[in-house]
Amino acid sequence: MAGENFLLEVTTFRLYSHSIPMRRIDSTHSTWMFDTERMRFCRLPRGVDPSSITLDSEWQPYFGLEIDAAGAFTVALNADHTRLLRAWREEPEPTKELELQPEAPT
């Protein structure tokens, strides 16, 4: 998984009264939490506190996570990798609008 570590955050969250290491990926509209030990993930709307995940029913199993250097990631929802979710990571620094000045006459 090339380039996987440069934009991903591994965090420990307190869930169910014990700490679980999680891989967190922020996309434009969602925060994706991956419990790599139990091979499950939870997709939350941006702005929701990840420690608010309380029910096992909020988690879905996954069978693979591929992350490419261009910012896309793919989650395999079955063992055959025929059901996939694909999303793009949010850039750490948003693109800024630039104002170009006309060239000075020569």
Side-chain angles (χ1 to χ4, degrees):
M1 292 179 220
E4 176 178 336
N5 296 325
F6 70 96
L7 284 178
L8 298 180
E9 177 182 331
V10 175
T11 311
T12 300
F13 287 98
R14 190 161 195 81
L15 300 173
Y16 315 115
S17 72
H18 60 281
S19 297
I20 300 172
M22 296 283 163
R23 173 170 284 163
R24 175 182 176 154
I25 303 175
D26 289 315
S27 64
T28 305
H29 301 287
S30 302
T31 297
W32 301 69
M33 302 300 299
F34 293 89
D35 177 349
T36 56
E37 290 179 7
R38 296 182 185 165
M39 293 297 290
R40 61 186 189 162
F41 77 100
C42 184
R43 184 176 167 190
L44 303 168
R46 287 296 297 266
V48 172
D49 181 5
S51 64
S52 69
I53 305 168
T54 57
L55 302 174
D56 276 336
S57 62
E58 294 181 38
W59 293 92
Q60 297 179 44
Y62 75 98
F63 296 82
L65 174 62
E66 293 183 21
I67 304 163
D68 65 37
F73 62 98
T74 304
V75 182
L77 300 177
N78 63 0
D80 294 330
H81 291 224
T82 56
R83 293 187 54 231
L84 305 171
L85 287 175
R86 187 157 171 87
W88 287 261
R89 296 179 299 208
E90 182 174 80
E91 294 295 325
E93 294 181 25
T95 304
K96 296 180 181 174
E97 186 174 316
L98 298 175
E99 185 177 324
L100 301 176
Q101 300 296 321
E103 289 186 25
T106 54

